[in-house]
Amino acid sequence: MNRRSLLRAGVGLLAGGASLALPPASPAEAAPAAGPTDGWTQTSFAYSWQKPWDLDLDDRHSYSDGVHRMWVYATDEPFEEGSSTDPRTEMRWKVDYTTGNHMWDADVLLPSGTDGASFVQILRSVHPSDTPATDIMLNVYDTGGGTVRRYDGTVLKTGAYDTWFNVKIAHQASSGTGTVKVYFDDSLVLTVADRGPATRYFKNGVYDHGSGRVEARFRNLRYWTK
């Protein structure tokens, strides 16, 4: 059929009232899933340092290009002279709270060989004597290319060594029992109850429960509330 015949055929179809078929409308794209910080407000914070009492901070901490690097040895002194606690180099966030929604947020790198160290925790500074001192601790162990556990139990991540990943800990605290959620790279990996009423704060760094040298690095530290 030549071009003139095609045009005549088209005119005839339209004149005869036939409708042109249109492709079906594309379904609306699904709304993106809510992120862990949706509805939260980034809030300023301050912190102090805990490190072996007989050393300068520079002996166990460095800061360059936005990265805090912290390390400690199992043979180091505790943070206070006479304390029976393990050695540490940690940021103690000076945002104490009892209730409300609070979130710790940072990118974390755990160097190979770091074993038996806590790198972030919620510490219960004021709590009933028959309750634990923390609501949660995330520890790293020298297995599986770096295994992150809740305390020494639930496995949350393997292959964690020598790579940056984002960690968020969201705490919905109440006058009763609250809820703690942990996110890795914005994916929920853990939801647990806290340990009941307390005054608490976040800490991050390395708190050595093992042997040898332990290290952790942090960047893009943020604090959120709602």
Side-chain angles (χ1 to χ4, degrees):
M1 184 180 293
N2 59 32
R3 182 172 179 272
R4 181 174 294 177
S5 299
L6 283 171
L7 288 174
R8 286 176 177 168
V11 171
L13 284 171
L14 291 174
S19 60
L20 293 175
L22 298 176
S26 299
E29 292 185 4
T37 60
D38 285 3
W40 294 69
T41 300
Q42 189 171 342
T43 307
S44 61
F45 67 97
Y47 56 86
S48 58
W49 286 100
Q50 296 182 351
K51 45 81 180 176
W53 67 265
D54 59 338
L55 298 176
D56 293 332
L57 180 60
D58 289 347
D59 293 327
R60 295 293 181 265
H61 166 265
S62 68
Y63 180 75
S64 179
D65 296 326
V67 176
H68 289 278
R69 179 171 165 252
M70 305 173 217
W71 65 96
V72 77
Y73 293 85
T75 54
D76 282 341
E77 293 291 322
F79 79 109
E80 290 180 336
E81 190 172 6
S83 172
S84 61
T85 60
D86 292 326
R88 71 190 76 187
T89 304
E90 292 182 304
M91 290 177 169
R92 189 268 199 226
W93 289 38
K94 300 180 75 173
V95 188
D96 293 32
Y97 63 92
T98 56
T99 60
N101 292 277
H102 305 263
M103 184 188 298
W104 180 93
D105 177 6
D107 299 330
V108 179
L109 187 144
L110 304 167
S112 296
T114 296
D115 185 38
S118 300
F119 62 92
V120 61
Q121 59 180 297
I122 299 175
L123 192 135
R124 297 157 56 83
S125 57
V126 181
H127 59 96
S129 59
D130 59 344
T131 62
T134 60
D135 284 309
I136 192 167
M137 299 175 84
L138 299 187
N139 299 348
V140 59
Y141 296 92
D142 193 9
T143 60
T147 298
V148 176
R149 296 176 178 267
R150 172 181 175 244
Y151 296 101
D152 59 356
T154 306
V155 173
L156 304 180
K157 183 178 180 66
T158 58
Y161 279 156
D162 302 319
T163 184
W164 287 103
F165 62 103
N166 180 261
V167 180
K168 291 180 174 69
I169 299 180
H171 188 190
Q172 183 182 29
S174 72
S175 58
T177 299
T179 302
V180 177
K181 294 184 177 182
V182 178
Y183 300 85
F184 288 168
D185 293 325
D186 290 340
S187 293
L188 181 65
V189 296
L190 179 72
T191 302
V192 292
D194 65 22
R195 305 297 183 78
T199 300
R200 62 267 284 185
Y201 55 83
F202 294 105
K203 299 179 74 178
N204 66 276
V206 276
Y207 183 25
D208 191 357
H209 309 295
S211 60
R213 181 184 184 280
V214 294
E215 180 180 332
R217 302 174 193 177
F218 303 87
R219 67 185 184 189
N220 298 325
L221 288 154
R222 292 175 291 257
Y223 174 56
W224 303 82
T225 58
K226 72 173 180 178

